[in-house]
Amino acid sequence: MDNEERLIQEIVNREWDFFYNTQNIGGQASCQNDRKTFEIMRKSQWQTCNKEILDSYLRDLKEAEKEKHNLVTEKYARMMEFTMPEEFEKIKEELPELKSEKKDIVEKLLGIHLKWREEMNAKYPKISNAGRNLKSSDDTEKDTSVETYLKGEFLSYSLNTLERYYSYTIKCKEENINLVYENLNNMVKFYGYKSLDDAEEKV
C-alpha cells in the first residue's frame, strides 16, 4: 500500500465512523451496516483526487472530530433541504453558516459535474443510470438526485478543500478528463470488471 492509498484508507475509515454514527429519522438505515459497499463507493471517489485534495479533506475530518461535528451528518442534512424540506426547516439553524464563496464554488462545480454525468448517462446508460436521478427537481423523500447528493457532499467540505477541488476539476476539464467516468471506472473494477466498457457490456 503506497502513501496515497494509506491516505485514502484513513479518510474512508474516518468517514465510516461518521457515517455509522449518523442518526437518521426513523432509526439506523440498512446501509449503515454495509461497510464493504461504503468503502467501494468512497474509495472509488477519492481515487480520482490528487494528494493536495486528500490532505486537505483529511484535515477537515480531523478538525471536525476534534469539534465533535459529524461531517457526514451535515452532508445528509444539507440534502434534506430538497428531499425533506419540512424536516430541514427544523434543523437548519443547527448547521454551520454557509459563506457566499462556498455557495459560488459549489454551483460552478455542479455545472461541470452534472454535464459529465449527462455524458456518462448517454454513453454508459446501464451503469451510469442505475443509481440516482440527475436533477434536484426529481427529488423525493426516498430518492435523492445526483445534483442534491453532490451539493450535500461539496457543502460539507471546508472552503480550503473546496477551492482545491475546484482548481483540480477545472484542470481535469481542460485536459478532457471526466471525473465521473474515472469514479465509475474505479467502482466497477472493485466489482471485478476490467473497465467501464466491460461492465456496461456484461450487466
Side-chain angles (χ1 to χ4, degrees):
M1 187 182 288
D2 62 25
N3 288 337
E4 202 155 297
E5 285 178 310
R6 279 195 290 271
L7 185 55
I8 289 171
Q9 187 62 58
E10 183 175 359
I11 285 171
V12 173
N13 288 345
R14 289 174 179 274
E15 284 189 314
W16 171 258
D17 288 341
F18 280 151
F19 180 70
Y20 186 79
N21 289 298
T22 292
Q23 300 299 311
N24 296 290
I25 295 170
Q28 193 174 50
S30 59
C31 57
Q32 287 178 280
N33 293 302
D34 185 0
R35 180 159 186 164
K36 181 180 178 182
T37 300
F38 179 88
E39 291 218 1
I40 288 172
M41 296 300 117
R42 299 308 290 171
K43 284 181 179 179
S44 296
Q45 175 184 316
W46 293 120
Q47 284 176 356
T48 69
C49 296
N50 62 20
K51 189 173 182 299
E52 188 178 18
I53 295 167
L54 298 174
D55 282 334
S56 183
Y57 184 64
L58 181 56
R59 285 195 294 273
D60 292 352
L61 292 168
K62 289 178 177 178
E63 188 63 31
E65 185 178 1
K66 200 181 299 182
E67 294 175 358
K68 301 192 183 309
H69 174 63
N70 188 322
L71 289 182
V72 175
T73 298
E74 179 185 346
K75 175 170 75 171
Y76 286 103
R78 298 283 183 202
M79 294 181 206
M80 287 170 61
E81 182 177 0
F82 305 95
T83 59
M84 303 174 70
E86 291 181 7
E87 293 297 327
F88 179 75
E89 286 299 314
K90 299 175 186 176
I91 64 165
K92 66 179 184 180
E93 299 302 325
E94 300 171 23
L95 297 172
E97 184 180 353
L98 288 178
K99 295 182 178 180
S100 59
E101 302 100 300
K102 263 186 122 171
K103 292 180 184 177
D104 291 343
I105 294 173
V106 168
E107 287 306 312
K108 291 174 185 175
L109 280 170
L110 287 173
I112 297 169
H113 279 260
L114 290 178
K115 187 174 180 182
W116 278 340
R117 173 65 70 165
E118 285 177 335
E119 292 173 7
M120 292 301 98
N121 286 357
K123 191 170 182 180
Y124 302 100
K126 287 190 283 186
I127 300 296
S128 189
N129 282 330
R132 308 172 187 276
N133 291 319
L134 188 65
K135 296 295 183 70
S136 294
S137 55
D138 295 321
D139 283 337
T140 68
E141 187 174 324
K142 294 184 178 179
D143 294 302
T144 305
S145 65
V146 171
E147 181 178 12
T148 295
Y149 182 86
L150 286 175
K151 190 173 286 189
E153 172 88 15
F154 293 149
L155 287 173
S156 71
Y157 298 170
S158 68
L159 183 58
N160 188 61
T161 298
L162 205 51
E163 288 172 339
R164 281 160 173 69
Y165 191 76
Y166 179 63
S167 295
Y168 179 68
T169 296
I170 292 298
K171 183 173 181 288
C172 289
K173 184 184 175 187
E174 289 170 349
E175 295 175 359
N176 293 314
I177 297 170
N178 182 324
L179 291 178
V180 176
Y181 169 86
E182 299 299 329
N183 189 347
L184 290 172
N185 199 45
N186 289 339
M187 181 189 72
V188 298
K189 286 180 179 178
F190 276 114
Y191 285 108
Y193 297 100
K194 294 177 183 176
S195 65
L196 197 46
D197 291 281
D198 181 44
E200 182 72 14
E201 182 183 336
K202 292 176 178 176
V203 294

